[in-house]
Amino acid sequence: MQLVVLAAGMGSRFGGLKQMEPMDDYGNFLLDYSIYDAKKAGFDSVVFIIKKDFYEAFRDSIGKRVSKIIKVEYAFQDLNDLPSGFKVPEGREKPWGTAHAIYAARGLIKDDFIIINGDDFYGRDAYLTAFKYLSSLKKDAVGKYANVAFEVKNTMTENGSVKRGVAFHDEDGYLTKLVESVIERKDGKIIASPLEAKQGASFEVKGDDLVSMNLFCFTKDLIPHLKEKFPLWLKENINVPKSEFLIPAVVDELVHEGKATMKLLSTSSVWFGVTYKEDKPGVVKSLKDLVNKGVYKEGLY
């Protein structure tokens, strides 16, 4: 099974390329720990989705390190990678979003896979949970997706807002709605503001409500769905300056069309990440604590 890493973002709120920020005394990035955990869980290859501009720096640092333990491939998210008949509008600079990032790797994804953000720490149990789920599926299963979801209170930073997919589910634990939102604390409440206007106004969420951290489990049939839906999305949104083709929105559509189901999976892992520069000291300390507890060895590799 494949691990697909969304690592093309430049980390504007962080103030730099946060995927390539050392997080321990050995120069390892947060992503090194994710790859290490995924390999331990059973994943046997990784596809990094990055911008071509920093391919050499990425390959010569983390790529070189993790290639010692896992097969490594690269896909490039490019603004000009559009279906036939479409071209980038004048002035467009913002990437097309997370679903487009996976679309960029369409030629490399050959197996069932999971996706993760390159700047999030999910914890080993999250990968074990994902691998167990995909391993439980019948050969050539289609539309059997899952999300390893976290309680929203465990995914926030004290330093600003975060983007999360608020997950609504039925009594059997299957997703009924996924709303990609900006989440922040306001007046003692946790408020989610949908990124797409059509998904409604801002609403309050409770601390133990589940959110997606973009750790999705997909059967490989997602790729044909992306090829079909991307042109349709472009017809409606290509001239909207900051519009994004987002994977939660695609999943939500497929679920409502009856083409897929999305199981919400629980994990004992605790998330942390570096949305802002001010988050780094806490992340460094958390990793060091895990090393001291023996979860990771000194230097990792």
Side-chain angles (χ1 to χ4, degrees):
M1 280 179 276
Q2 293 177 284
L3 169 68
V4 177
V5 180
L6 309 182
M10 292 300 291
S12 57
R13 289 177 294 178
F14 182 70
L17 190 57
K18 54 187 173 179
Q19 291 90 346
M20 300 177 69
E21 182 79 9
M23 292 290 163
D24 63 20
D25 295 336
Y26 300 88
N28 291 315
F29 309 149
L30 203 55
L31 189 46
D32 283 275
Y33 288 85
S34 294
I35 304 301
Y36 187 88
D37 282 341
K39 175 64 176 178
K40 285 281 189 182
F43 293 90
D44 52 20
S45 69
V46 57
V47 177
F48 290 118
I49 303 172
I50 61 175
K51 286 187 176 179
K52 198 168 187 176
D53 291 350
F54 60 83
Y55 165 65
E56 291 186 3
F58 201 97
R59 177 199 62 195
D60 293 342
S61 54
I62 185 170
K64 187 175 182 180
R65 289 195 294 271
V66 303
S67 63
K68 299 174 184 177
I69 64 169
I70 197 169
K71 178 184 177 182
V72 175
E73 295 178 287
Y74 297 91
F76 304 118
Q77 186 175 15
D78 187 332
L79 204 59
N80 294 292
D81 183 12
L82 297 174
S84 177
F86 295 93
K87 64 178 182 179
V88 179
E90 185 176 351
R92 174 84 189 203
E93 295 181 359
K94 188 176 182 63
W96 294 111
T98 51
H100 179 255
I102 303 171
Y103 175 84
R106 60 195 179 278
L108 297 176
I109 296 174
K110 307 294 185 183
D111 199 356
D112 295 343
F113 65 101
I114 68 169
I115 66 167
I116 64 167
N117 293 330
D119 53 2
D120 287 323
F121 177 92
Y122 295 94
R124 188 167 302 163
D125 183 71
Y127 295 97
L128 290 168
T129 299
F131 187 84
K132 181 180 179 181
Y133 173 78
L134 288 177
S135 298
S136 73
L137 300 178
K138 294 180 180 179
K139 182 177 175 59
D140 296 324
V142 296
K144 300 295 184 181
Y145 307 158
N147 180 272
V148 180
F150 291 70
E151 293 185 0
V152 66
K153 66 185 178 185
N154 293 329
T155 73
M156 301 186 70
T157 169
E158 297 298 325
N159 299 306
S161 63
V162 293
K163 287 184 181 180
R164 306 287 183 253
V166 181
F168 298 86
H169 57 87
D170 62 21
E171 59 184 14
D172 295 319
Y174 283 92
L175 184 84
T176 57
K177 188 177 183 180
L178 188 60
V179 182
E180 188 78 351
S181 306
V182 172
I183 295 180
E184 56 190 328
R185 289 188 174 90
K186 290 183 178 179
D187 301 324
K189 299 179 180 179
I190 302 175
I191 303 298
S193 301
L195 293 180
E196 293 189 358
K198 67 179 182 180
Q199 292 191 306
S202 298
F203 57 96
E204 183 181 355
V205 293
K206 303 301 183 183
D208 58 356
D209 285 344
L210 297 177
V211 294
S212 164
M213 299 298 301
N214 266 1
L215 202 172
F216 285 98
C217 307
F218 289 117
T219 43
K220 59 188 176 183
D221 62 285
L222 177 71
I223 303 304
H225 286 309
L226 293 179
K227 291 179 180 179
E228 176 188 359
K229 288 188 172 296
F230 191 31
L232 299 176
W233 182 88
L234 286 168
K235 286 180 181 179
E236 293 187 3
N237 298 280
I238 192 168
N239 291 312
V240 181
K242 294 185 178 181
S243 58
E244 292 184 71
F245 185 46
L246 299 171
I247 196 61
V250 172
V251 168
D252 191 50
E253 282 187 15
L254 291 172
V255 168
H256 281 88
E257 292 167 356
K259 296 177 180 177
T261 57
M262 173 65 67
K263 183 75 172 178
L264 291 180
L265 308 174
S266 61
T267 174
S268 61
S269 291
V270 176
W271 170 92
F272 52 82
V274 284
T275 305
Y276 303 91
K277 274 193 176 295
E278 293 83 358
D279 295 330
K280 182 178 176 179
V283 171
V284 170
K285 181 181 183 302
S286 294
L287 288 175
K288 196 171 188 65
D289 289 344
L290 290 171
V291 171
N292 291 338
K293 291 177 181 177
V295 178
Y296 302 106
K297 60 184 180 181
E298 285 279 349
L300 198 58
Y301 297 104

